[in-house]
Amino acid sequence: YVVLVMGDDVPVPAPASGGVSSEGGGGGVERAVKRARLLESSSSPTFHVTKSCLSNHSCPYLDMVDRKSLNFDFAKFCSVTLSPQNVYCCLTCGKFFTGKSTSSPAYTHSVSTSHYVFMALDKKLLGRVFVLPDNYEVVDRSLDDIRAALNPTYTPQAVASLDAKTAWARALDGADYLPGLVGLNNLAMAAGGASATQQRKANQKAPGSTDYLNVIAQLLVRAQPLRDYFLLQREADAVHASAPSAQAADTQNRVLLVQRFSELCRKAWHPTAFKGHVSPHEFLQAVQHASNRAFNADEQGDPQAFLAWLLDAMHLGLTAGKRKKASVITRCFQGELDVRDASAGESAEDASKAAEAAAAATTTTKFLMLGLDLPDTPLHLDAKSGATIIPQVPLSTLLQKYNGSTVHESLRSGSKTYRITKLPRYLVLNIKRFLKNNFFFEKNRTLVTFPLEIDLRDILPLSHLSADEPTRYRLVANVCHDGEPSGGTYKVHILRPSDEKWYEVHDLRVSEVMHQMVGLSEAYVQLWERL
């Protein structure tokens, strides 16, 4: 490249073939000497860079890039001004700064620390690399892996082959990880610079913290259509069509929630990531804003309540607030069932009038999740050992709630019967384990026994469905709870389709487990995939 010094326009030649290049060679001393000679020959500390430098592949400062210091999971705010506008990342230390002007924090950081290479994080300049204080752009393919870590992208061919890959990936620190099964950092309440004592107190006050958010994020990306939708960034078209600038604040928060979930999904499946885990900081912030802090990092939440809210919020974010409009959420998880008032027709004189009254009292409703009621726990102890008896109940017994004839009593809705009329592609089951009121908070420890594959025709009367409609499901995700009801931890068991093995994911820890252990857990939320 050729650098022209303002004032006398004396060309300064590029270094010789044995000089500094982007492939290494040379060190900080040689760079400092070169910069000092440039400044000494200049009548002004400002110099002009010709356009030929924009496509140069031998920038003398690229060997200062430290990939181990880079972490793009955090919110893109300036570390000095906390501004989210025009933010750049220093590729040497990984800190975020705003601006490129001579009065900007990025310029000051460059001069004071001799860190010269910065990557733009703003949408307009996303991924472009600049050298400060010289203020010229560097175009070099050796930086593509950093751009991919900042904003992972996938082709349809790559997405189609994800479930067939069995190879592990390796992070920069040498740790092996499974793309799509990476650990998610637990964002504890006192994680932001608190002392060790404060962190211990915070963990005692809110055990588990954001593990409820992590298990639901792990569960949702097991739905292949939903995963492919966000990996290919198809939500961008739906978000653009919703025109968030013209919407209310709550709609804008839902749109941002969709975008942050898309980023989390793409980072979790990234095969060449710098580290083998992901920190869902930006996703958690979007959740807090969209839910008005109903779900946050200050206290442990309920995974079932969070999943129900998240599916509804993302559906509204994808449809611009139009609840009846279809989206990838409804295409994956929505089914239908008939709800009938069991007391209707009881006073009718003949059977025909009773049938008419029952039909009039039947309504069709749509669902994204089915709740299963556990039987009451026994109050007596075992006669021989004196230990508390932990009962067991088959999953098929709990599903009889939706056979169309079993009467379900409720203080709110009265006596109802339920019958499934349309099966979703992915069936979400919630096993109701917790009972909470103004006086106590209890947990039902009844074990639910279930096979890893079921055929609903063998469990429920589905004669009203067509004969060719598939009714076989296999379990792909199982969220369970360990510990006391007021604390404890949430874990999730994940089936990896490529090798048909089960893995237990607890925040950052990912370990292989036997499939027999899945059935021995205190299951809380399950995701079943239709075969």
Side-chain angles (χ1 to χ4, degrees):
Y1 56 85
V2 177
V3 180
L4 298 181
V5 181
M6 295 183 62
D8 52 8
D9 288 341
V10 178
V12 181
S17 58
V20 183
S21 68
S22 62
E23 304 298 330
V29 176
E30 189 172 346
R31 288 195 302 269
V33 171
K34 178 180 177 181
R35 177 174 289 274
R37 289 177 179 175
L38 285 173
L39 295 179
E40 289 175 359
S41 62
S42 171
S43 58
S44 170
T46 303
F47 51 86
H48 170 70
V49 182
T50 62
K51 293 184 178 180
S52 62
C53 185
L54 296 179
S55 59
N56 173 52
H57 292 272
S58 58
C59 176
Y61 307 115
L62 291 189
D63 59 344
M64 302 179 66
V65 175
D66 184 8
R67 287 166 173 78
K68 293 184 179 180
S69 301
L70 304 181
N71 189 348
F72 298 116
D73 294 342
F74 295 99
K76 311 304 188 294
F77 290 93
C78 175
S79 58
V80 177
T81 64
L82 299 182
S83 171
Q85 305 296 328
N86 197 25
V87 179
Y88 292 80
C89 174
C90 174
L91 297 186
T92 301
C93 62
K95 296 181 180 179
F96 299 160
F97 302 96
T98 57
K100 294 191 301 178
S101 64
T102 56
S103 60
S104 65
Y107 187 96
T108 303
H109 176 76
S110 174
V111 174
S112 60
T113 62
S114 298
H115 295 173
Y116 304 128
V117 188
F118 293 80
M119 176 172 286
L121 306 181
D122 193 68
K123 290 184 178 180
K124 296 181 179 179
L125 302 175
L126 186 66
R128 296 172 63 177
V129 178
F130 298 87
V131 171
L132 297 180
D134 301 355
N135 195 20
Y136 66 84
E137 183 178 1
V138 177
V139 180
D140 196 303
R141 295 188 61 182
S142 66
L143 302 174
D144 288 349
D145 61 331
I146 302 180
R147 298 187 183 93
L150 171 63
N151 184 35
T153 57
Y154 300 82
T155 63
Q157 295 77 11
V159 172
S161 63
L162 285 178
D163 291 333
K165 294 182 178 180
T166 60
W168 289 59
R170 177 162 294 181
L172 289 180
D173 59 357
D176 294 330
Y177 70 95
L178 288 170
L181 257 177
V182 298
L184 297 180
N185 196 14
N186 193 326
L187 308 179
M189 178 175 61
S195 64
T197 303
Q198 291 174 330
Q199 290 185 10
R200 285 195 299 268
K201 291 182 179 179
N203 291 332
Q204 293 174 359
K205 181 179 179 181
S209 196
T210 60
D211 57 352
Y212 74 95
L213 180 144
N214 293 343
V215 295
I216 294 304
Q218 296 280 9
L219 178 141
L220 283 180
V221 295
R222 303 309 127 192
Q224 180 182 343
L226 183 73
R227 178 202 66 185
D228 297 350
Y229 183 87
F230 286 111
L231 289 184
L232 297 175
Q233 303 185 59
R234 292 173 179 167
E235 83 284 351
D237 297 332
V239 169
H240 178 72
S242 64
S245 59
Q247 302 289 339
D250 55 347
T251 304
Q252 295 184 33
N253 289 335
R254 296 191 192 106
V255 170
L256 181 61
L257 175 68
V258 171
Q259 295 172 342
R260 294 294 181 253
F261 182 81
S262 174
E263 294 174 2
L264 178 63
C265 184
R266 288 185 282 121
K267 289 180 179 179
W269 285 90
H270 190 33
T272 58
F274 292 162
K275 56 189 187 312
H277 65 274
V278 177
S279 297
H281 286 271
E282 292 185 293
F283 177 61
L284 174 62
Q285 290 180 352
V287 167
Q288 292 181 154
H289 287 297
S291 65
N292 293 323
R293 292 192 63 82
F295 302 99
N296 52 67
D298 295 343
E299 58 182 354
Q300 189 180 44
D302 184 357
Q304 179 272 332
F306 176 66
L307 176 60
W309 172 85
L310 181 62
L311 292 177
D312 183 69
M314 289 203 300
H315 170 68
L316 295 178
L318 290 168
T319 60
K322 300 176 182 178
R323 192 175 297 277
K324 295 183 179 180
K325 187 177 179 181
S327 69
V328 66
I329 302 295
T330 57
R331 290 192 294 270
C332 286
F333 304 105
Q334 190 177 86
E336 294 181 0
L337 54 82
D338 287 342
V339 182
R340 183 179 65 85
D341 188 353
S343 61
E346 292 180 351
S347 59
E349 298 179 356
D350 53 17
S352 60
K353 292 184 179 180
E356 293 178 358
T362 302
T363 59
T364 300
T365 183
K366 298 178 180 179
F367 68 89
L368 298 177
M369 183 188 310
L370 293 179
L372 303 179
D373 302 314
L374 288 174
D376 296 333
T377 56
L379 300 178
H380 57 277
L381 302 179
D382 183 63
K384 295 182 178 180
S385 63
T388 303
I389 298 176
I390 300 180
Q392 299 182 17
V393 57
L395 179 66
S396 57
T397 302
L398 301 182
L399 286 172
Q400 295 305 313
K401 175 182 177 180
Y402 299 97
N403 60 10
S405 58
T406 302
V407 178
H408 178 71
E409 301 287 346
S410 174
L411 295 177
R412 292 184 178 181
S413 58
S415 301
K416 302 288 185 181
T417 62
Y418 303 94
R419 185 183 70 158
I420 298 177
T421 57
K422 181 181 178 181
L423 293 171
R425 181 169 180 178
Y426 287 87
L427 180 62
V428 181
L429 299 179
N430 166 229
I431 301 173
K432 300 180 180 179
R433 290 194 173 276
F434 299 101
L435 176 62
K436 185 177 182 180
N437 54 33
N438 294 331
F439 303 100
F440 56 84
F441 185 21
E442 292 182 344
K443 175 184 175 182
N444 191 328
R445 298 183 180 275
T446 300
L447 291 180
V448 179
T449 60
F450 50 86
L452 299 182
E453 291 188 8
I454 59 174
D455 191 340
L456 291 182
R457 289 187 188 274
D458 299 335
I459 302 175
L460 300 174
L462 300 177
S463 58
H464 54 283
L465 299 180
S466 60
D468 57 346
E469 182 171 350
T471 58
R472 293 183 62 248
Y473 286 82
R474 70 170 178 178
L475 183 67
V476 294
N478 177 59
V479 176
C480 58
H481 181 267
D482 291 339
E484 297 300 321
S486 59
T489 58
Y490 290 101
K491 304 176 183 178
V492 59
H493 298 111
I494 300 295
L495 173 65
R496 192 181 185 215
S498 58
D499 54 13
E500 294 294 330
K501 293 181 180 179
W502 282 90
Y503 294 86
E504 182 182 85
V505 184
H506 180 211
D507 296 333
L508 294 176
R509 184 176 60 83
V510 180
S511 58
E512 183 180 348
V513 296
M514 296 185 297
H515 67 273
Q516 292 88 347
M517 300 300 297
V518 179
L520 296 177
S521 62
E522 297 178 350
Y524 186 44
V525 179
Q526 293 182 333
L527 179 65
W528 295 79
E529 179 185 32
R530 187 166 61 185
L531 298 176

